[in-house]
Amino acid sequence: MSLLFYKRPDYVTKSDGPLNLSDCQKYVERAACSRASVPDNLSFENVMEGRTLPPMSLEDFMDYLVYISHDAENLQFYLWLQDYKNRFDALPASEKALSPRWEADRSAPVLNRAKATRAPEKKDHSLELNDMGSLGLKDMGAFYLDGNSSPTSTASRAPSPINSFKGHDFIVSAVSARDEPKWESFSIQPFRHEISLIISHYIQPSSPRELNLSYRDRALVLHTLQHTTHPSAFDPILAVIALTLKSQSHPNFVRWSICNGNKPRVFALRSLGVVVLSLSFLGALLMILSSRSRWWRIFLLLSVYFGIVNLIASYKGLCVLLYRFSDRQLHPWELDPLPATLFHAPASAAHIPYSPSTPSSLSYSPSSKTYDPESAPPSPSTERLAPFGPRNSFAHEAWVQRWRRRGVLRKIFARTTRIRDEGLRVMQNKIVLQAELYGVLISVPLVVAVVACPRGGFY
């Protein structure tokens, strides 16, 4: 009986406005209702650790956030922070001592000050965007915390050499000297240069991958980064990012991945189900009014069953025919034969320009979350896992126009590929079996009722 009431994960609606813990708590409560619908091997942790296969891999999760949910910056920042924690923990004790852990009780005065102030007026955006190049990191924190404060001069100290770590050469080369933030950091703390790039890429307003943070959280994290590069400096925003990914983005990704057909095909299947059922009922009416034997009406069972099964399965995004072959249709961006066009964005698409030619042979490993310079050039999906790059915009990609110009029939019968993840197949099995069970439970009584009707004898 549990199969009759099986539900795919509920859709968790994205809240309006900046991320906050209150909204994240609602995500958690909504996701808890669907926890039993998702197999353990498709959990958020398994996806993050690369234990799932296409179309449930980490790269597929990134594609969903870029093309469907439009908030890929959360995952990009989360992956960087997890890797940053590992690299920071591997530092010698002498270097760790330069960046002490940030204590929560030190944030209280900052929060009170942030509540008492407002963000800069719209007319002051010239200072925010143009003059910020002349501000130091400490001044930036003061700028966000006090809308009336003016930049203060800070004595320059010689920055220490950047400590080597996996992927650092990629970070330095991917963002050239002319693309780096114009404001200087005055600290000998480890990874200070990388933190500066993260601020200009994710925290600073109008940055290429700006996180959807509240004014309070943005001010607090900037303040903590004035004092330390310890990973705990990101604690004020880590909770909302992690909870959003785990309780809002991941359940919606699983729900979306269950669909094995694109929108035109699913719409066509739903229309086919309605047409078949309509013709079946019309045929039943004609047979009842005729003088033919009532037993001919039994053949209506096949068409009614077919229509109900396809209507229920397509309502949940499944094509039964593709399911039989363990296939799914390729997404529009996967049909593009020229993936190299991914990062050829117009200059206005990114606050920090990005050159795909530097470096040209670096890839991101989902299992180790490190950059391997010896590997082959990565796919576009893998490139998006990198922490630095252009805005997560796809309007300039070649597949967009090609998909718009593609005919309806070519969309309906687009190319397919194999579903490799068994956990996803288990969910699809339950949905199709449920549709077939409902098909039997609905079609058999209906046909029995039609057969029981007496002949009309009108013709």
Side-chain angles (χ1 to χ4, degrees), residues 184-196:
E184 298 291 341
S185 57
F186 307 104
S187 176
I188 61 173
Q189 294 171 335
F191 302 135
R192 174 54 73 181
H193 175 66
E194 184 179 0
I195 293 298
S196 300

Side-chain angles (χ1 to χ4, degrees), residues 211-412:
L211 296 172
N212 187 22
L213 302 175
S214 66
Y215 171 73
R216 172 183 178 275
D217 291 338
R218 193 186 306 274
L220 181 56
V221 75
L222 283 172
H223 178 77
T224 59
L225 292 174
Q226 296 176 21
H227 302 278
T228 181
T229 58
H230 193 279
S232 61
F234 293 99
D235 285 351
I237 62 174
L238 175 59
V240 294
I241 297 298
L243 288 176
T244 299
L245 285 172
K246 185 173 183 178
S247 301
Q248 193 265 339
S249 299
H250 176 257
N252 290 348
F253 166 63
V254 175
R255 177 188 173 96
W256 174 78
S257 299
I258 292 175
C259 306
N260 60 4
N262 57 33
K263 287 185 177 181
R265 188 184 187 98
V266 169
F267 179 78
L269 289 171
R270 293 176 182 175
S271 302
L272 177 63
V274 172
V275 170
V276 169
L277 289 176
S278 300
L279 292 178
S280 298
F281 289 125
L282 179 61
L285 180 62
L286 294 177
M287 288 183 177
I288 291 174
L289 297 177
S290 71
S291 58
R292 290 182 177 273
S293 173
R294 293 185 299 175
W295 302 111
W296 285 102
R297 305 171 195 173
I298 295 179
F299 290 101
L300 292 172
L301 178 65
L302 296 177
S303 59
V304 174
Y305 172 81
F306 174 82
I308 292 175
V309 170
N310 277 276
L311 194 61
I312 294 177
S314 60
Y315 172 76
K316 299 184 178 181
L318 278 177
C319 171
V320 178
L321 181 62
L322 292 179
Y323 160 80
R324 300 298 181 193
F325 293 98
S326 300
D327 287 344
R328 70 171 179 89
Q329 284 189 301
L330 293 173
H331 300 299
W333 54 88
E334 296 174 320
L335 293 169
D336 188 1
L338 299 175
T341 61
L342 176 69
F343 285 108
H344 290 279
S348 60
H351 180 69
I352 298 180
Y354 176 80
S355 173
S357 61
T358 56
S360 60
S361 60
L362 290 171
S363 68
Y364 186 83
S365 172
S367 58
S368 61
K369 301 182 180 64
T370 57
Y371 297 92
D372 181 11
E374 303 298 329
S375 61
S379 65
S381 298
T382 305
E383 286 276 10
R384 291 195 185 276
L385 297 173
F388 301 104
R391 294 182 187 275
N392 295 312
S393 171
F394 57 89
H396 59 279
E397 295 180 23
W399 68 265
V400 176
Q401 293 300 324
R402 293 179 183 178
W403 181 253
R404 290 175 180 172
R405 294 194 298 263
R406 197 179 184 96
V408 175
L409 289 179
R410 291 186 63 199
K411 290 180 179 179
I412 294 176

